[in-house]
Amino acid sequence: MHERFVATFGAEVGEALMEHLPPGGWADVATKRDLDLARAELRGEMAELRGEMAELRGETRAGLAELAGRFDKLAGELHRDMAGQTRAVVIATFGMLATSIGGVVSVAALAH
């Protein structure tokens, strides 16, 4: 092919034409059909990836909702336990106060 180009068009044009041919031959050149097939394959993979991402988002939302429920339950338990402890401290404080007042009254009664 090179010799034919040189003979027909001259050395300069023949060399320029040869430089524009694909280095591996025409079998290595992608056709429109090749590009269409690659595009269809890529679109299929992208659709699959979108589906997987949607599934992950759903799992994440479900996991977060479950976690929020657990935190709500723990907060309720903590509130209940703290209320119980507060009652116990108040009752103990009144008991100590009553005992102290009783002691002061007893000492005062003995002093008279």
Side-chain angles (χ1 to χ4, degrees):
M1 187 182 285
H2 176 261
E3 292 174 8
R4 182 78 181 234
F5 283 161
V6 170
T8 304
F9 303 108
E12 188 175 332
V13 174
E15 291 294 329
L17 288 173
M18 289 303 294
E19 288 175 7
H20 287 87
L21 292 176
W26 288 105
D28 295 333
V29 175
T31 65
K32 186 174 184 328
R33 179 168 158 63
D34 294 330
L35 295 176
D36 289 342
L37 288 173
R39 182 182 300 119
E41 184 178 331
L42 181 59
R43 285 186 176 162
E45 290 176 2
M46 288 172 60
E48 184 179 330
L49 182 59
R50 281 190 201 104
E52 290 173 3
M53 289 174 62
E55 185 179 326
L56 286 173
R57 278 193 300 272
E59 290 173 3
T60 300
R61 286 185 183 130
L64 288 175
E66 180 183 345
L67 189 59
R70 288 181 182 180
F71 276 128
D72 287 344
K73 181 181 176 186
L74 287 173
E77 291 173 2
L78 181 62
H79 179 72
R80 184 190 68 232
D81 292 346
M82 288 177 67
Q85 286 179 343
T86 302
R87 266 186 244 107
V89 167
V90 168
I91 290 170
T93 302
F94 279 124
M96 287 187 299
L97 182 61
T99 303
S100 297
I101 290 173
V104 169
V105 170
S106 297
V107 168
L110 289 175
H112 281 103

